[in-house]
Amino acid sequence: MRTRLRETEFVVMVTKKHPLNIILVCMLTIIFFVLLVVFWRSATARWVFGLGFVGLACAVAIMFWVRQRDIWIVTTQRVIDERGIFSLYSMESPLDKITNVSVGQSLLGRMLGYGLVQIQTAGEAGITEQLKIMSPRAFREAIFEQREAYLEKMSGRSRPEKPAPAEEKLIPGVTKECPFCAEIIKAKARICRFCNRELPEDAADNAVPAPEGPSRKTL
């Protein structure tokens, strides 16, 4: 993997193309080698099968190298399509932008464990396809699991904190102080709503009397 990870980002799964094509070319290379040995005495056959064997052997080496560089990575934040032998080509799909992941497998693909994966994103990239990748269903499940975890984490961060309840004030004639827990309660309360204790009859003395208003003059 050549793509640099971000802070607090971890690799969950890495998959590659299935080595079916490399196996077929390897079998063809072995056939040309056997023919080269059998028809070694013939100059024409020796040149034909010899060149074919060398070309196929080089093709196997190149295909193996390409397979090592052509990978797909699922991290805790995105899906990365990384390819390129000498240069690096990387396509990223953020987990919160992925809307659907579909998997297609033929009969041979189900037997050998490879298939087609299509990733649909809500952006300019649209749909990206990965052909003949190994463990396509596990790849899809890893994307869905990390997408749900990522969305849950982001929703928790964006959730506003609840404001702290406002402290009640001692209002003359309206509230009083509980003699047991010192909390502010209603002046007419007989049981404290904080400590659930029954207030004594003399608790009314703790209440601050309301200020008397100006006396009304009689004419």
PDB file of all heavy atoms in Angstrom, residues 52-88:
ATOM      1  N   GLY A  52       8.446 -18.224 -27.782  1.00  0.00           N
ATOM      2  CA  GLY A  52       7.154 -18.256 -27.089  1.00  0.00           C
ATOM      3  C   GLY A  52       7.309 -18.456 -25.593  1.00  0.00           C
ATOM      4  O   GLY A  52       6.616 -17.818 -24.782  1.00  0.00           O
ATOM      5  N   PHE A  53       8.244 -19.343 -25.213  1.00  0.00           N
ATOM      6  CA  PHE A  53       8.469 -19.595 -23.787  1.00  0.00           C
ATOM      7  C   PHE A  53       9.012 -18.355 -23.090  1.00  0.00           C
ATOM      8  O   PHE A  53       8.551 -17.995 -21.989  1.00  0.00           O
ATOM      9  CB  PHE A  53       9.439 -20.769 -23.633  1.00  0.00           C
ATOM     10  CG  PHE A  53       9.918 -20.964 -22.230  1.00  0.00           C
ATOM     11  CD1 PHE A  53       9.084 -21.509 -21.264  1.00  0.00           C
ATOM     12  CD2 PHE A  53      11.207 -20.574 -21.863  1.00  0.00           C
ATOM     13  CE1 PHE A  53       9.525 -21.677 -19.958  1.00  0.00           C
ATOM     14  CE2 PHE A  53      11.647 -20.744 -20.562  1.00  0.00           C
ATOM     15  CZ  PHE A  53      10.809 -21.296 -19.605  1.00  0.00           C
ATOM     16  N   VAL A  54       9.978 -17.676 -23.721  1.00  0.00           N
ATOM     17  CA  VAL A  54      10.558 -16.472 -23.105  1.00  0.00           C
ATOM     18  C   VAL A  54       9.510 -15.371 -22.989  1.00  0.00           C
ATOM     19  O   VAL A  54       9.402 -14.687 -21.961  1.00  0.00           O
ATOM     20  CB  VAL A  54      11.779 -15.995 -23.917  1.00  0.00           C
ATOM     21  CG1 VAL A  54      12.274 -14.644 -23.390  1.00  0.00           C
ATOM     22  CG2 VAL A  54      12.883 -17.024 -23.860  1.00  0.00           C
ATOM     23  N   GLY A  55       8.715 -15.197 -24.051  1.00  0.00           N
ATOM     24  CA  GLY A  55       7.677 -14.160 -24.005  1.00  0.00           C
ATOM     25  C   GLY A  55       6.630 -14.428 -22.939  1.00  0.00           C
ATOM     26  O   GLY A  55       6.211 -13.507 -22.215  1.00  0.00           O
ATOM     27  N   LEU A  56       6.211 -15.670 -22.824  1.00  0.00           N
ATOM     28  CA  LEU A  56       5.214 -16.014 -21.811  1.00  0.00           C
ATOM     29  C   LEU A  56       5.782 -15.885 -20.399  1.00  0.00           C
ATOM     30  O   LEU A  56       5.079 -15.459 -19.469  1.00  0.00           O
ATOM     31  CB  LEU A  56       4.699 -17.435 -22.046  1.00  0.00           C
ATOM     32  CG  LEU A  56       3.824 -17.622 -23.292  1.00  0.00           C
ATOM     33  CD1 LEU A  56       3.526 -19.095 -23.515  1.00  0.00           C
ATOM     34  CD2 LEU A  56       2.524 -16.841 -23.149  1.00  0.00           C
ATOM     35  N   ALA A  57       7.043 -16.256 -20.223  1.00  0.00           N
ATOM     36  CA  ALA A  57       7.665 -16.109 -18.904  1.00  0.00           C
ATOM     37  C   ALA A  57       7.741 -14.630 -18.500  1.00  0.00           C
ATOM     38  O   ALA A  57       7.485 -14.290 -17.334  1.00  0.00           O
ATOM     39  CB  ALA A  57       9.056 -16.743 -18.905  1.00  0.00           C
ATOM     40  N   CYS A  58       8.064 -13.767 -19.436  1.00  0.00           N
ATOM     41  CA  CYS A  58       8.088 -12.330 -19.146  1.00  0.00           C
ATOM     42  C   CYS A  58       6.683 -11.820 -18.835  1.00  0.00           C
ATOM     43  O   CYS A  58       6.495 -10.969 -17.952  1.00  0.00           O
ATOM     44  CB  CYS A  58       8.683 -11.567 -20.330  1.00  0.00           C
ATOM     45  SG  CYS A  58      10.436 -11.889 -20.619  1.00  0.00           S
ATOM     46  N   ALA A  59       5.679 -12.349 -19.562  1.00  0.00           N
ATOM     47  CA  ALA A  59       4.300 -11.937 -19.310  1.00  0.00           C
ATOM     48  C   ALA A  59       3.856 -12.333 -17.908  1.00  0.00           C
ATOM     49  O   ALA A  59       3.163 -11.568 -17.222  1.00  0.00           O
ATOM     50  CB  ALA A  59       3.368 -12.550 -20.358  1.00  0.00           C
ATOM     51  N   VAL A  60       4.241 -13.524 -17.475  1.00  0.00           N
ATOM     52  CA  VAL A  60       3.896 -13.961 -16.119  1.00  0.00           C
ATOM     53  C   VAL A  60       4.514 -13.029 -15.074  1.00  0.00           C
ATOM     54  O   VAL A  60       3.864 -12.645 -14.091  1.00  0.00           O
ATOM     55  CB  VAL A  60       4.353 -15.413 -15.894  1.00  0.00           C
ATOM     56  CG1 VAL A  60       4.221 -15.790 -14.423  1.00  0.00           C
ATOM     57  CG2 VAL A  60       3.539 -16.364 -16.750  1.00  0.00           C
ATOM     58  N   ALA A  61       5.772 -12.671 -15.272  1.00  0.00           N
ATOM     59  CA  ALA A  61       6.446 -11.783 -14.316  1.00  0.00           C
ATOM     60  C   ALA A  61       5.767 -10.412 -14.265  1.00  0.00           C
ATOM     61  O   ALA A  61       5.556  -9.843 -13.185  1.00  0.00           O
ATOM     62  CB  ALA A  61       7.922 -11.639 -14.689  1.00  0.00           C
ATOM     63  N   ILE A  62       5.391  -9.869 -15.441  1.00  0.00           N
ATOM     64  CA  ILE A  62       4.740  -8.558 -15.480  1.00  0.00           C
ATOM     65  C   ILE A  62       3.355  -8.618 -14.845  1.00  0.00           C
ATOM     66  O   ILE A  62       2.972  -7.734 -14.062  1.00  0.00           O
ATOM     67  CB  ILE A  62       4.656  -8.057 -16.936  1.00  0.00           C
ATOM     68  CG1 ILE A  62       6.060  -7.787 -17.480  1.00  0.00           C
ATOM     69  CG2 ILE A  62       3.799  -6.797 -17.016  1.00  0.00           C
ATOM     70  CD1 ILE A  62       6.093  -7.426 -18.946  1.00  0.00           C
ATOM     71  N   MET A  63       2.595  -9.672 -15.147  1.00  0.00           N
ATOM     72  CA  MET A  63       1.256  -9.801 -14.568  1.00  0.00           C
ATOM     73  C   MET A  63       1.320  -9.956 -13.053  1.00  0.00           C
ATOM     74  O   MET A  63       0.481  -9.412 -12.324  1.00  0.00           O
ATOM     75  CB  MET A  63       0.550 -11.010 -15.198  1.00  0.00           C
ATOM     76  CG  MET A  63       0.218 -10.837 -16.663  1.00  0.00           C
ATOM     77  SD  MET A  63      -0.446 -12.342 -17.415  1.00  0.00           S
ATOM     78  CE  MET A  63      -2.016 -12.481 -16.552  1.00  0.00           C
ATOM     79  N   PHE A  64       2.307 -10.676 -12.564  1.00  0.00           N
ATOM     80  CA  PHE A  64       2.458 -10.826 -11.114  1.00  0.00           C
ATOM     81  C   PHE A  64       2.793  -9.491 -10.462  1.00  0.00           C
ATOM     82  O   PHE A  64       2.261  -9.161  -9.397  1.00  0.00           O
ATOM     83  CB  PHE A  64       3.556 -11.849 -10.824  1.00  0.00           C
ATOM     84  CG  PHE A  64       3.797 -12.058  -9.360  1.00  0.00           C
ATOM     85  CD1 PHE A  64       2.959 -12.880  -8.605  1.00  0.00           C
ATOM     86  CD2 PHE A  64       4.860 -11.413  -8.724  1.00  0.00           C
ATOM     87  CE1 PHE A  64       3.182 -13.053  -7.240  1.00  0.00           C
ATOM     88  CE2 PHE A  64       5.077 -11.586  -7.364  1.00  0.00           C
ATOM     89  CZ  PHE A  64       4.240 -12.414  -6.626  1.00  0.00           C
ATOM     90  N   TRP A  65       3.648  -8.702 -11.099  1.00  0.00           N
ATOM     91  CA  TRP A  65       4.024  -7.395 -10.568  1.00  0.00           C
ATOM     92  C   TRP A  65       2.831  -6.447 -10.574  1.00  0.00           C
ATOM     93  O   TRP A  65       2.597  -5.706  -9.619  1.00  0.00           O
ATOM     94  CB  TRP A  65       5.190  -6.839 -11.375  1.00  0.00           C
ATOM     95  CG  TRP A  65       5.850  -5.650 -10.732  1.00  0.00           C
ATOM     96  CD1 TRP A  65       5.641  -5.184  -9.465  1.00  0.00           C
ATOM     97  CD2 TRP A  65       6.819  -4.795 -11.326  1.00  0.00           C
ATOM     98  NE1 TRP A  65       6.415  -4.088  -9.217  1.00  0.00           N
ATOM     99  CE2 TRP A  65       7.156  -3.825 -10.347  1.00  0.00           C
ATOM    100  CE3 TRP A  65       7.447  -4.745 -12.561  1.00  0.00           C
ATOM    101  CZ2 TRP A  65       8.088  -2.816 -10.594  1.00  0.00           C
ATOM    102  CZ3 TRP A  65       8.381  -3.745 -12.792  1.00  0.00           C
ATOM    103  CH2 TRP A  65       8.700  -2.789 -11.831  1.00  0.00           C
ATOM    104  N   VAL A  66       2.068  -6.479 -11.675  1.00  0.00           N
ATOM    105  CA  VAL A  66       0.881  -5.620 -11.763  1.00  0.00           C
ATOM    106  C   VAL A  66      -0.133  -5.998 -10.690  1.00  0.00           C
ATOM    107  O   VAL A  66      -0.766  -5.131 -10.065  1.00  0.00           O
ATOM    108  CB  VAL A  66       0.258  -5.719 -13.170  1.00  0.00           C
ATOM    109  CG1 VAL A  66      -1.109  -5.036 -13.203  1.00  0.00           C
ATOM    110  CG2 VAL A  66       1.179  -5.100 -14.208  1.00  0.00           C
ATOM    111  N   ARG A  67      -0.297  -7.294 -10.446  1.00  0.00           N
ATOM    112  CA  ARG A  67      -1.256  -7.743  -9.428  1.00  0.00           C
ATOM    113  C   ARG A  67      -0.851  -7.260  -8.044  1.00  0.00           C
ATOM    114  O   ARG A  67      -1.706  -6.934  -7.208  1.00  0.00           O
ATOM    115  CB  ARG A  67      -1.358  -9.266  -9.447  1.00  0.00           C
ATOM    116  CG  ARG A  67      -2.348  -9.824  -8.434  1.00  0.00           C
ATOM    117  CD  ARG A  67      -2.491 -11.330  -8.565  1.00  0.00           C
ATOM    118  NE  ARG A  67      -3.430 -11.846  -7.582  1.00  0.00           N
ATOM    119  CZ  ARG A  67      -3.093 -12.254  -6.360  1.00  0.00           C
ATOM    120  NH1 ARG A  67      -1.805 -12.220  -5.993  1.00  0.00           N
ATOM    121  NH2 ARG A  67      -3.998 -12.701  -5.514  1.00  0.00           N
ATOM    122  N   GLN A  68       0.431  -7.210  -7.758  1.00  0.00           N
ATOM    123  CA  GLN A  68       0.887  -6.735  -6.462  1.00  0.00           C
ATOM    124  C   GLN A  68       0.633  -5.241  -6.273  1.00  0.00           C
ATOM    125  O   GLN A  68       0.463  -4.773  -5.144  1.00  0.00           O
ATOM    126  CB  GLN A  68       2.392  -7.017  -6.299  1.00  0.00           C
ATOM    127  CG  GLN A  68       2.745  -8.497  -6.269  1.00  0.00           C
ATOM    128  CD  GLN A  68       2.080  -9.212  -5.099  1.00  0.00           C
ATOM    129  OE1 GLN A  68       1.210 -10.057  -5.281  1.00  0.00           O
ATOM    130  NE2 GLN A  68       2.498  -8.858  -3.899  1.00  0.00           N
ATOM    131  N   ARG A  69       0.563  -4.482  -7.374  1.00  0.00           N
ATOM    132  CA  ARG A  69       0.364  -3.038  -7.298  1.00  0.00           C
ATOM    133  C   ARG A  69      -1.095  -2.629  -7.468  1.00  0.00           C
ATOM    134  O   ARG A  69      -1.463  -1.507  -7.122  1.00  0.00           O
ATOM    135  CB  ARG A  69       1.194  -2.353  -8.393  1.00  0.00           C
ATOM    136  CG  ARG A  69       2.687  -2.536  -8.247  1.00  0.00           C
ATOM    137  CD  ARG A  69       3.237  -1.608  -7.194  1.00  0.00           C
ATOM    138  NE  ARG A  69       4.686  -1.692  -7.081  1.00  0.00           N
ATOM    139  CZ  ARG A  69       5.425  -0.817  -6.402  1.00  0.00           C
ATOM    140  NH1 ARG A  69       4.851   0.201  -5.801  1.00  0.00           N
ATOM    141  NH2 ARG A  69       6.739  -0.973  -6.311  1.00  0.00           N
ATOM    142  N   ASP A  70      -1.908  -3.515  -8.007  1.00  0.00           N
ATOM    143  CA  ASP A  70      -3.320  -3.208  -8.268  1.00  0.00           C
ATOM    144  C   ASP A  70      -4.150  -3.766  -7.118  1.00  0.00           C
ATOM    145  O   ASP A  70      -4.521  -4.944  -7.110  1.00  0.00           O
ATOM    146  CB  ASP A  70      -3.745  -3.824  -9.598  1.00  0.00           C
ATOM    147  CG  ASP A  70      -5.094  -3.287 -10.060  1.00  0.00           C
ATOM    148  OD1 ASP A  70      -5.670  -2.435  -9.356  1.00  0.00           O
ATOM    149  OD2 ASP A  70      -5.564  -3.723 -11.120  1.00  0.00           O
ATOM    150  N   ILE A  71      -4.461  -2.904  -6.125  1.00  0.00           N
ATOM    151  CA  ILE A  71      -5.124  -3.366  -4.919  1.00  0.00           C
ATOM    152  C   ILE A  71      -6.288  -2.438  -4.564  1.00  0.00           C
ATOM    153  O   ILE A  71      -6.384  -1.314  -5.061  1.00  0.00           O
ATOM    154  CB  ILE A  71      -4.136  -3.448  -3.727  1.00  0.00           C
ATOM    155  CG1 ILE A  71      -3.531  -2.070  -3.455  1.00  0.00           C
ATOM    156  CG2 ILE A  71      -3.067  -4.484  -3.985  1.00  0.00           C
ATOM    157  CD1 ILE A  71      -2.603  -2.042  -2.249  1.00  0.00           C
ATOM    158  N   TRP A  72      -7.163  -2.956  -3.713  1.00  0.00           N
ATOM    159  CA  TRP A  72      -8.296  -2.171  -3.182  1.00  0.00           C
ATOM    160  C   TRP A  72      -8.266  -2.280  -1.667  1.00  0.00           C
ATOM    161  O   TRP A  72      -8.141  -3.381  -1.112  1.00  0.00           O
ATOM    162  CB  TRP A  72      -9.619  -2.701  -3.738  1.00  0.00           C
ATOM    163  CG  TRP A  72      -9.762  -2.455  -5.195  1.00  0.00           C
ATOM    164  CD1 TRP A  72     -10.293  -1.352  -5.816  1.00  0.00           C
ATOM    165  CD2 TRP A  72      -9.364  -3.328  -6.253  1.00  0.00           C
ATOM    166  NE1 TRP A  72     -10.242  -1.495  -7.179  1.00  0.00           N
ATOM    167  CE2 TRP A  72      -9.670  -2.699  -7.478  1.00  0.00           C
ATOM    168  CE3 TRP A  72      -8.766  -4.588  -6.277  1.00  0.00           C
ATOM    169  CZ2 TRP A  72      -9.409  -3.278  -8.706  1.00  0.00           C
ATOM    170  CZ3 TRP A  72      -8.498  -5.165  -7.494  1.00  0.00           C
ATOM    171  CH2 TRP A  72      -8.826  -4.513  -8.700  1.00  0.00           C
ATOM    172  N   ILE A  73      -8.385  -1.138  -1.026  1.00  0.00           N
ATOM    173  CA  ILE A  73      -8.249  -1.064   0.427  1.00  0.00           C
ATOM    174  C   ILE A  73      -9.512  -0.477   1.031  1.00  0.00           C
ATOM    175  O   ILE A  73     -10.037   0.529   0.530  1.00  0.00           O
ATOM    176  CB  ILE A  73      -7.038  -0.206   0.832  1.00  0.00           C
ATOM    177  CG1 ILE A  73      -5.776  -0.664   0.107  1.00  0.00           C
ATOM    178  CG2 ILE A  73      -6.835  -0.223   2.342  1.00  0.00           C
ATOM    179  CD1 ILE A  73      -5.332   0.215  -0.997  1.00  0.00           C
ATOM    180  N   VAL A  74      -9.987  -1.099   2.093  1.00  0.00           N
ATOM    181  CA  VAL A  74     -11.085  -0.548   2.897  1.00  0.00           C
ATOM    182  C   VAL A  74     -10.491  -0.080   4.220  1.00  0.00           C
ATOM    183  O   VAL A  74      -9.883  -0.873   4.948  1.00  0.00           O
ATOM    184  CB  VAL A  74     -12.192  -1.596   3.157  1.00  0.00           C
ATOM    185  CG1 VAL A  74     -13.306  -0.985   3.995  1.00  0.00           C
ATOM    186  CG2 VAL A  74     -12.739  -2.122   1.846  1.00  0.00           C
ATOM    187  N   THR A  75     -10.644   1.207   4.510  1.00  0.00           N
ATOM    188  CA  THR A  75     -10.163   1.748   5.772  1.00  0.00           C
ATOM    189  C   THR A  75     -11.359   2.188   6.609  1.00  0.00           C
ATOM    190  O   THR A  75     -12.515   2.002   6.218  1.00  0.00           O
ATOM    191  CB  THR A  75      -9.229   2.951   5.534  1.00  0.00           C
ATOM    192  OG1 THR A  75      -9.997   4.081   5.061  1.00  0.00           O
ATOM    193  CG2 THR A  75      -8.161   2.607   4.513  1.00  0.00           C
ATOM    194  N   THR A  76     -11.076   2.771   7.743  1.00  0.00           N
ATOM    195  CA  THR A  76     -12.139   3.242   8.626  1.00  0.00           C
ATOM    196  C   THR A  76     -12.765   4.547   8.146  1.00  0.00           C
ATOM    197  O   THR A  76     -13.729   5.011   8.745  1.00  0.00           O
ATOM    198  CB  THR A  76     -11.592   3.443  10.045  1.00  0.00           C
ATOM    199  OG1 THR A  76     -10.433   4.301   9.988  1.00  0.00           O
ATOM    200  CG2 THR A  76     -11.197   2.112  10.661  1.00  0.00           C
ATOM    201  N   GLN A  77     -12.251   5.119   7.026  1.00  0.00           N
ATOM    202  CA  GLN A  77     -12.781   6.385   6.532  1.00  0.00           C
ATOM    203  C   GLN A  77     -13.106   6.376   5.048  1.00  0.00           C
ATOM    204  O   GLN A  77     -13.918   7.182   4.599  1.00  0.00           O
ATOM    205  CB  GLN A  77     -11.793   7.525   6.812  1.00  0.00           C
ATOM    206  CG  GLN A  77     -11.523   7.764   8.289  1.00  0.00           C
ATOM    207  CD  GLN A  77     -10.574   8.924   8.529  1.00  0.00           C
ATOM    208  OE1 GLN A  77     -10.232   9.669   7.606  1.00  0.00           O
ATOM    209  NE2 GLN A  77     -10.132   9.095   9.764  1.00  0.00           N
ATOM    210  N   ARG A  78     -12.521   5.459   4.252  1.00  0.00           N
ATOM    211  CA  ARG A  78     -12.696   5.517   2.796  1.00  0.00           C
ATOM    212  C   ARG A  78     -12.372   4.173   2.157  1.00  0.00           C
ATOM    213  O   ARG A  78     -11.851   3.266   2.817  1.00  0.00           O
ATOM    214  CB  ARG A  78     -11.791   6.609   2.208  1.00  0.00           C
ATOM    215  CG  ARG A  78     -10.352   6.467   2.680  1.00  0.00           C
ATOM    216  CD  ARG A  78      -9.462   7.595   2.246  1.00  0.00           C
ATOM    217  NE  ARG A  78      -8.186   7.547   2.929  1.00  0.00           N
ATOM    218  CZ  ARG A  78      -7.080   8.150   2.522  1.00  0.00           C
ATOM    219  NH1 ARG A  78      -7.097   8.871   1.411  1.00  0.00           N
ATOM    220  NH2 ARG A  78      -5.963   8.057   3.210  1.00  0.00           N
ATOM    221  N   VAL A  79     -12.692   4.084   0.851  1.00  0.00           N
ATOM    222  CA  VAL A  79     -12.322   2.940   0.023  1.00  0.00           C
ATOM    223  C   VAL A  79     -11.344   3.459  -1.028  1.00  0.00           C
ATOM    224  O   VAL A  79     -11.637   4.426  -1.737  1.00  0.00           O
ATOM    225  CB  VAL A  79     -13.549   2.295  -0.647  1.00  0.00           C
ATOM    226  CG1 VAL A  79     -13.111   1.142  -1.547  1.00  0.00           C
ATOM    227  CG2 VAL A  79     -14.530   1.811   0.400  1.00  0.00           C
ATOM    228  N   ILE A  80     -10.174   2.824  -1.144  1.00  0.00           N
ATOM    229  CA  ILE A  80      -9.098   3.300  -2.012  1.00  0.00           C
ATOM    230  C   ILE A  80      -8.858   2.282  -3.112  1.00  0.00           C
ATOM    231  O   ILE A  80      -8.687   1.086  -2.844  1.00  0.00           O
ATOM    232  CB  ILE A  80      -7.803   3.526  -1.219  1.00  0.00           C
ATOM    233  CG1 ILE A  80      -8.056   4.479  -0.047  1.00  0.00           C
ATOM    234  CG2 ILE A  80      -6.709   4.077  -2.117  1.00  0.00           C
ATOM    235  CD1 ILE A  80      -6.869   4.614   0.890  1.00  0.00           C
ATOM    236  N   ASP A  81      -8.875   2.759  -4.367  1.00  0.00           N
ATOM    237  CA  ASP A  81      -8.518   1.948  -5.533  1.00  0.00           C
ATOM    238  C   ASP A  81      -7.131   2.401  -5.973  1.00  0.00           C
ATOM    239  O   ASP A  81      -6.971   3.492  -6.516  1.00  0.00           O
ATOM    240  CB  ASP A  81      -9.551   2.145  -6.645  1.00  0.00           C
ATOM    241  CG  ASP A  81      -9.216   1.326  -7.886  1.00  0.00           C
ATOM    242  OD1 ASP A  81      -8.232   0.572  -7.865  1.00  0.00           O
ATOM    243  OD2 ASP A  81      -9.954   1.445  -8.882  1.00  0.00           O
ATOM    244  N   GLU A  82      -6.137   1.572  -5.730  1.00  0.00           N
ATOM    245  CA  GLU A  82      -4.737   1.957  -5.967  1.00  0.00           C
ATOM    246  C   GLU A  82      -4.143   1.070  -7.046  1.00  0.00           C
ATOM    247  O   GLU A  82      -4.229  -0.149  -6.967  1.00  0.00           O
ATOM    248  CB  GLU A  82      -3.951   1.822  -4.657  1.00  0.00           C
ATOM    249  CG  GLU A  82      -2.513   2.276  -4.730  1.00  0.00           C
ATOM    250  CD  GLU A  82      -1.812   2.091  -3.401  1.00  0.00           C
ATOM    251  OE1 GLU A  82      -2.149   2.819  -2.441  1.00  0.00           O
ATOM    252  OE2 GLU A  82      -0.932   1.202  -3.312  1.00  0.00           O
ATOM    253  N   ARG A  83      -3.525   1.696  -8.041  1.00  0.00           N
ATOM    254  CA  ARG A  83      -2.920   0.938  -9.136  1.00  0.00           C
ATOM    255  C   ARG A  83      -1.744   1.721  -9.707  1.00  0.00           C
ATOM    256  O   ARG A  83      -1.515   2.871  -9.347  1.00  0.00           O
ATOM    257  CB  ARG A  83      -3.952   0.649 -10.222  1.00  0.00           C
ATOM    258  CG  ARG A  83      -4.460   1.900 -10.921  1.00  0.00           C
ATOM    259  CD  ARG A  83      -5.570   1.583 -11.892  1.00  0.00           C
ATOM    260  NE  ARG A  83      -6.779   1.151 -11.192  1.00  0.00           N
ATOM    261  CZ  ARG A  83      -7.919   0.872 -11.818  1.00  0.00           C
ATOM    262  NH1 ARG A  83      -7.994   0.971 -13.145  1.00  0.00           N
ATOM    263  NH2 ARG A  83      -8.983   0.504 -11.123  1.00  0.00           N
ATOM    264  N   GLY A  84      -1.034   1.082 -10.653  1.00  0.00           N
ATOM    265  CA  GLY A  84       0.124   1.722 -11.270  1.00  0.00           C
ATOM    266  C   GLY A  84       1.402   1.005 -10.901  1.00  0.00           C
ATOM    267  O   GLY A  84       1.620   0.682  -9.729  1.00  0.00           O
ATOM    268  N   ILE A  85       2.269   0.758 -11.911  1.00  0.00           N
ATOM    269  CA  ILE A  85       3.535   0.061 -11.666  1.00  0.00           C
ATOM    270  C   ILE A  85       4.615   1.051 -11.237  1.00  0.00           C
ATOM    271  O   ILE A  85       5.140   0.981 -10.128  1.00  0.00           O
ATOM    272  CB  ILE A  85       3.965  -0.719 -12.919  1.00  0.00           C
ATOM    273  CG1 ILE A  85       2.888  -1.757 -13.299  1.00  0.00           C
ATOM    274  CG2 ILE A  85       5.304  -1.403 -12.687  1.00  0.00           C
ATOM    275  CD1 ILE A  85       3.213  -2.541 -14.547  1.00  0.00           C
ATOM    276  N   PHE A  86       4.947   1.964 -12.116  1.00  0.00           N
ATOM    277  CA  PHE A  86       5.968   2.963 -11.778  1.00  0.00           C
ATOM    278  C   PHE A  86       5.322   4.232 -11.202  1.00  0.00           C
ATOM    279  O   PHE A  86       5.852   4.827 -10.275  1.00  0.00           O
ATOM    280  CB  PHE A  86       6.798   3.296 -13.022  1.00  0.00           C
ATOM    281  CG  PHE A  86       7.511   2.094 -13.582  1.00  0.00           C
ATOM    282  CD1 PHE A  86       7.039   1.464 -14.720  1.00  0.00           C
ATOM    283  CD2 PHE A  86       8.648   1.592 -12.969  1.00  0.00           C
ATOM    284  CE1 PHE A  86       7.698   0.354 -15.243  1.00  0.00           C
ATOM    285  CE2 PHE A  86       9.310   0.483 -13.486  1.00  0.00           C
ATOM    286  CZ  PHE A  86       8.827  -0.129 -14.621  1.00  0.00           C
ATOM    287  N   SER A  87       4.206   4.636 -11.776  1.00  0.00           N
ATOM    288  CA  SER A  87       3.465   5.779 -11.248  1.00  0.00           C
ATOM    289  C   SER A  87       2.344   5.270 -10.345  1.00  0.00           C
ATOM    290  O   SER A  87       2.021   4.084 -10.336  1.00  0.00           O
ATOM    291  CB  SER A  87       2.891   6.629 -12.381  1.00  0.00           C
ATOM    292  OG  SER A  87       2.014   5.843 -13.182  1.00  0.00           O
ATOM    293  N   LEU A  88       1.748   6.189  -9.604  1.00  0.00           N
ATOM    294  CA  LEU A  88       0.679   5.835  -8.665  1.00  0.00           C
ATOM    295  C   LEU A  88      -0.617   6.498  -9.103  1.00  0.00           C
ATOM    296  O   LEU A  88      -0.690   7.719  -9.258  1.00  0.00           O
ATOM    297  CB  LEU A  88       1.029   6.279  -7.245  1.00  0.00           C
ATOM    298  CG  LEU A  88      -0.070   6.115  -6.191  1.00  0.00           C
ATOM    299  CD1 LEU A  88      -0.450   4.648  -6.040  1.00  0.00           C
ATOM    300  CD2 LEU A  88       0.357   6.700  -4.852  1.00  0.00           C
TER     301      LEU A  88
END
